[in-house]
Amino acid sequence: VQLQASGGGLVQPGGSLRLSCAASGFPLDYYAIGWFRQAPGKEREGVACIDNISGSTYYTDSVKGRFTISRDKAKNTVYLQMNNLKPEDTAVYHCAADLDINWSDSSIINFTRAPDAAWGQGTLVTVSS
């Protein structure tokens, strides 16, 4: 069971990147998938997630309206489209399969990695002019 995140790089403020989270050894749609990031000197934070049953998505406030998480079942891949990137988006981004999701009615309010979640090698995103 492996996850591999890719697609990071150096981009100017206002630019875009698309991160990919590819799975091998298991179908990604068996699990809720989340993207996390960790910037130097900061704690890891959950950026976005997608539930495998409802398709519901969640975004942390700082990326709402700029990032979009999606799933391609045929490619066994989850994507994170990042638009209008800002310097504060600079971080190593990881994806994880299997999340602990907190719900309010039918909306996701936050999420964390499940204890046994698969965790992919990260990809570095640098936003700088």
Side-chain angles (χ1 to χ4, degrees), residues 35-128:
W35 283 97
F36 297 79
R37 68 184 179 187
Q38 188 163 19
K42 295 187 177 181
E43 291 187 358
R44 185 172 63 220
E45 66 169 336
V47 175
C49 74
I50 184 166
D51 181 58
N52 56 311
I53 297 174
S54 66
S56 295
T57 58
Y58 166 88
Y59 301 92
T60 194
D61 285 346
S62 61
V63 309
K64 282 180 182 177
R66 301 188 297 122
F67 289 13
T68 303
I69 189 170
S70 62
R71 185 193 300 265
D72 186 328
K73 183 177 179 179
K75 295 183 178 180
N76 208 29
T77 299
V78 170
Y79 300 101
L80 186 67
Q81 178 67 43
M82 306 187 297
N83 297 328
N84 190 22
L85 282 160
K86 303 177 180 181
E88 52 264 41
D89 296 317
T90 296
V92 176
Y93 285 71
H94 295 264
C95 55
D98 198 7
L99 307 176
D100 288 331
I101 295 177
N102 292 314
W103 297 85
S104 176
D105 294 326
S106 59
S107 297
I108 299 172
I109 56 174
N110 57 54
F111 70 99
T112 57
R113 287 174 60 194
D116 295 326
W119 181 253
Q121 191 171 7
T123 185
L124 175 62
V125 172
T126 303
V127 185
S128 175

